[in-house]
Each structure stands twice: as structure tokens, then as C-alpha cells.
Amino acid sequence: MTKSGFLMVGAGLSGAVIGRHLAEAGHDVTVVDSRPHAGGNCHTERDADTQVMVHVYGPHIFHTDDEEVWTYVNSFATFRPYKNRVKSTTRGLTGEREVFSLPVNLHTINQFFRRAMRPDEARDFILNEQADTSIENPRTFEEQALRFVGRDLYEAFFKGYTMKQWGCHPCELPASILRRLPVRFNYDDNYFFHRFQGMPEDGYTAMIERILDHPRITVHLETVFDPADAGKWDHVFWSGPLDGWFGYELGRLGYRTLDFERFTHRGDWQGCAVMNYGEAEVPWTRITEHKHFSPWESHEGSVLYREYSRACEPGDIPYYPIRQVAEKALLSDYVRRAEATEGVTFVGRLGTYRYLDMDVTIREALDTAHGFLDCLARGERVPAFFVPPL
Ligand code: UDP
């Protein structure tokens, strides 16, 4: 039987980047996606009433230290300068609700403690009067926070937010989640510390459509792929959920999903793109005002999302892999099954069950495409994973 070439299941970043690379190497590539648009969860679209570019599945800000990835995305989109400056509304020491700068920096510390400390003074103050230095090797999120910023800042900015975001107590979460966030003893309030940062001028979907725009690539949207049909293809790249490939036979890997409560406004509702809410009593984690993600545009109308996090049920969109002890055990069972399966490679955030930033997704997709072509050239078996999920 003649097979139909290479299939990418999912028209998000992984499928598009791998597909493009194989197409440029002279192969025929088909890309299918069950949704009516390309772009996966990076999808952006203009709101018909206000013309605001909306990050439909929540905010995406491109940031990387990987120069090759930065060059790659810039060859498919014009990137505009964008600095992610996040604020947090939470209760200060007086118990009143206030607005603070994030990530925790010298401004946050001075504002929160009503002081006017210089960097060294603030560092000494946090170390000697706030941090719990009896915790030598922080293992949980809570220990990490208490060790580095102390109880007051932890409770105001991290505890409530994290309980809402992850649905469990921070002492049940790994320290690695908090390590994503810096604490700074200067006034730098750029949320990310990467060298390259920006926003594609006409959105992520337009960028991903350009990646897919190649004479050897055929895209079918609103098309559901059944893994039982894998044998019809020379090789399948699956960017759907790892457990989904196996029909969730061994059980479901845990995810958090997000609900977005959309509302509109005339004018400027909150004055910034992202406002976090640190308190457990406020049910949403953050509010995003989408027009501020495109500061070079000007719109009278505004589109906002109140964002709520909850456990992902069948039929919901999976966002954040949970990866606690129970999920890791199930994950290793699925990994073993995947490794015993021929003709498919699992890619991306859902395929490898990891929380990936966009730049890492692109880096891994490029490496996967190279690795795959090497396997073809050498006549070797193509692995289920080029990047191990465990
Ligand atoms: N976090 C928090 N308070 C905040 C922002 C973040 O406690 O105001 C915690 C939370 O547990 C979150 C983690 O830090 O999951 C990582 O934050 P990041 O902003 O990287 O989360 P993302 O934007 O990727 O959801």
C-alpha cells in the first residue's frame, strides 16, 4: 500500500514548525486540526466590534534567550517591542486592597513594607527579617517562597494565587513552579529576564499560518484524526494529549483548564495588560486587557478576560499539566506504551505532557525535525519521543 506522506496532528507551533522543516526538505506534509483555526492555544483573532487583537486562549508573550529561535520567528512575523509588566492587586499589611508591582522587586518590597530601602538594605531586610533561613533545601513551593521572600510577601502574592491556579495547597507543589519567577532587588519590573521579547504585529495565528504556507504542506482544519488510521501515513507527529492517543485507556493525565469570562468596556479598564489577584477570596486569578498586548495600536473599545482555573474534565481544553506524584506514575505507563508504538512521534506541550513556553516548543520542534530527518537518512527506527517527558 502506498502511504500518504507525513502527517502532523495539530496546527499549533509544534505541527507547523516540524511540518515546515520536512516540507523544505522536500517531503509532502499534511496538517490536520480539529479546530477551525491554526495556532493551537496561541491563537489570536481580531474582535469584530473593537478590532482589538484577542489572545483567545489566554495571554501569550514571546520571550527567549535562543537566538536561532528568535531569528526563526522573525522570519515569519514582524515582532514589535513588548515588555511584560504585570501588576498584582492584593491586600497589603494594613489589610486594605492595593496594587503592587510584579515580579517581586524593590518597588514591591518598599511599597508593601512602607519603606524607602536601597537595594542592599532591602536584601538585608528580606534575608534577616523576612526569609525563613532555617529551610535549607526548599522542596515545596511553600518552602521555596518562605525561604526566599518570607511569610508576608508569600501570603500576599503567592499563596492565594497558587491555590486558585493549581487547586491545591502550595505545600503539595514542587519548588520548581516558583523558580519561574524572579525576586529582584532593583526596580526592574520586566516579568521575563530573556534577551529577546516581543509580540507579533498581526498576531500569532498569522505567524503560524505563514509557517504553514508552503507548496508541499496541505492543511485541513475542523478535521479530527483517529489514531486507528495511523497506518495510512509514513509517519505521524501527534501534538494532541499523550493519553488521548491511547483513548485514555489507562486513565487521564491531570491538567488544569481555564475559563475566560469575557467582558468589554469603552476606554481603558485597568491600565495594563495583566492584573493578577493574589487573594484566595477573589475567585479569578487574573484579568487581561487585550488591547494592551498591542501597545502600538489604538482602540476606543476594550476586550477583557477574567481568568479562572479549575480541574480539567473530559471535553475541556487542557492547559497546564499538573505533574504531581500520581500523574508521574501514570505518565510513565503511557510513556512505556508510546515507546512500544511504531510510526508515531509525540511532540509539544500535550504530546509530552510538559508545561512549555513558546520558544522552547519551537526549539524542540526544530530539533525533532532534524532528528527525524537523520533517522530517515540512516534508516533507523524513529523514536516515540525526541524529548523524553520524564
Ligand atoms: N504565581 C503566584 N502569584 C502571581 C504569579 C504567579 O503565586 O502573581 C505563581 C503561580 O503558582 C504560578 C507560578 O507562580 O503558577 C508561575 O507563574 P507564571 O507567571 O510563570 O505563570 P503563567 O503565566 O505561566 O501561568
Side-chain angles (χ1 to χ4, degrees):
M1 184 177 87
T2 347
K3 300 211 181 185
S4 316
F6 300 132
L7 178 71
M8 309 291 136
V9 185
L13 277 176
S14 297
V17 171
I18 299 170
R20 176 75 184 211
H21 201 86
L22 301 189
E24 284 179 358
H27 299 285
D28 288 329
V29 173
T30 303
V31 181
V32 295
D33 200 298
S34 57
R35 288 172 171 172
H37 57 76
N41 278 6
C42 309
H43 176 54
T44 43
E45 76 188 18
R46 281 206 189 274
D47 173 62
D49 292 338
T50 59
Q51 292 305 305
V52 167
M53 186 66 85
V54 175
H55 292 215
V56 177
Y57 302 93
H60 283 75
I61 295 119
F62 201 91
H63 53 98
T64 189
D65 272 334
D66 189 327
E67 195 158 357
E68 195 185 327
V69 167
W70 182 239
T71 307
Y72 184 87
V73 291
N74 277 274
S75 68
F76 293 102
T78 301
F79 272 74
R80 292 276 200 153
Y82 181 84
K83 287 235 181 318
N84 194 27
R85 293 204 171 87
V86 179
K87 307 289 172 214
S88 180
T89 295
T90 190
R91 291 189 193 275
L93 284 182
T94 60
E96 292 296 312
R97 208 163 265 156
E98 296 176 54
V99 177
F100 297 94
S101 172
L102 277 188
V104 172
N105 65 70
L106 190 50
H107 200 182
T108 326
I109 297 168
N110 275 330
Q111 208 190 347
F112 191 85
F113 294 103
R114 306 282 162 108
R115 304 278 287 265
M117 294 177 279
R118 292 182 301 97
D120 289 350
E121 293 166 342
R123 199 183 292 274
D124 287 349
F125 168 75
I126 293 291
L127 189 66
N128 299 322
E129 295 179 44
Q130 294 293 315
D132 183 346
T133 47
S134 69
I135 304 168
E136 280 179 19
N137 289 313
R139 279 190 299 176
T140 68
F141 184 108
E142 182 168 75
E143 286 175 355
Q144 175 83 9
L146 293 175
R147 170 74 183 79
F148 286 98
V149 296
R151 184 159 298 279
D152 290 339
L153 293 172
Y154 161 63
E155 292 195 341
F157 295 104
F158 302 123
K159 189 177 176 188
Y161 188 98
T162 298
M163 285 166 65
K164 291 185 285 186
Q165 171 74 5
W166 294 99
C168 62
H169 195 278
C171 66
E172 295 169 61
L173 292 166
S176 56
I177 295 182
L178 186 59
R179 283 196 214 110
R180 282 174 61 87
L181 297 183
V183 174
R184 301 207 184 98
F185 294 100
N186 58 34
Y187 290 99
D188 180 3
D189 63 351
N190 186 352
Y191 204 72
F192 302 117
F193 38 81
H194 289 126
R195 247 189 327 152
F196 309 108
Q197 197 173 156
M199 200 61 93
E201 193 173 56
D202 50 2
Y204 291 100
T205 301
M207 175 180 93
I208 294 170
E209 283 170 351
R210 264 178 238 123
I211 299 176
L212 289 166
D213 183 14
H214 186 282
R216 286 194 174 272
I217 300 181
T218 314
V219 181
H220 300 286
L221 300 175
E222 294 181 275
T223 303
V224 177
F225 172 75
D226 182 350
D229 292 334
K232 296 180 184 159
W233 301 88
D234 289 298
H235 196 80
V236 177
F237 292 84
W238 172 261
S239 68
L242 171 59
D243 48 353
W245 177 273
F246 300 102
Y248 307 99
E249 261 170 38
L250 308 174
R252 282 182 181 261
L253 292 167
Y255 280 93
R256 300 293 288 172
T257 191
L258 300 175
D259 293 320
F260 301 110
E261 187 179 83
R262 183 183 184 281
F263 64 103
T264 55
H265 177 74
R266 288 202 80 69
D268 192 357
W269 194 80
Q270 65 177 15
C272 64
V274 184
M275 176 67 75
N276 287 0
Y277 286 82
E279 292 164 70
E281 294 68 38
V282 175
W284 52 88
T285 50
R286 57 185 175 183
I287 297 180
T288 44
E289 185 160 18
H290 293 255
K291 66 180 175 184
H292 294 303
F293 290 122
S294 310
W296 60 91
E297 295 183 3
S298 137
H299 302 280
E300 179 52 26
S302 198
V303 179
L304 297 103
Y305 277 5
R306 255 184 220 105
E307 189 172 319
Y308 302 80
S309 168
R310 62 176 169 81
C312 187
E313 306 285 343
D316 292 330
I317 300 172
Y319 283 83
Y320 296 89
I322 297 176
R323 293 182 74 95
Q324 280 177 268
V325 177
E327 283 84 15
K328 283 207 177 152
L330 185 58
L331 175 61
S332 67
D333 292 340
Y334 276 119
V335 167
R336 267 198 300 279
R337 292 200 52 172
E339 281 168 345
T341 309
E342 290 216 27
V344 55
T345 296
F346 297 83
V347 296
R349 180 176 56 96
L350 301 176
T352 65
Y353 193 60
R354 287 170 310 137
Y355 183 48
L356 299 180
D357 285 334
M358 289 182 284
D359 63 325
V360 180
T361 307
I362 295 173
R363 158 57 51 210
E364 291 188 0
L366 290 170
D367 292 348
T368 296
H370 287 135
F372 176 73
L373 291 175
D374 284 349
C375 286
L376 287 191
R378 295 200 203 105
E380 287 171 4
R381 181 181 193 272
V382 180
F385 301 100
F386 282 91
V387 186
L390 284 163

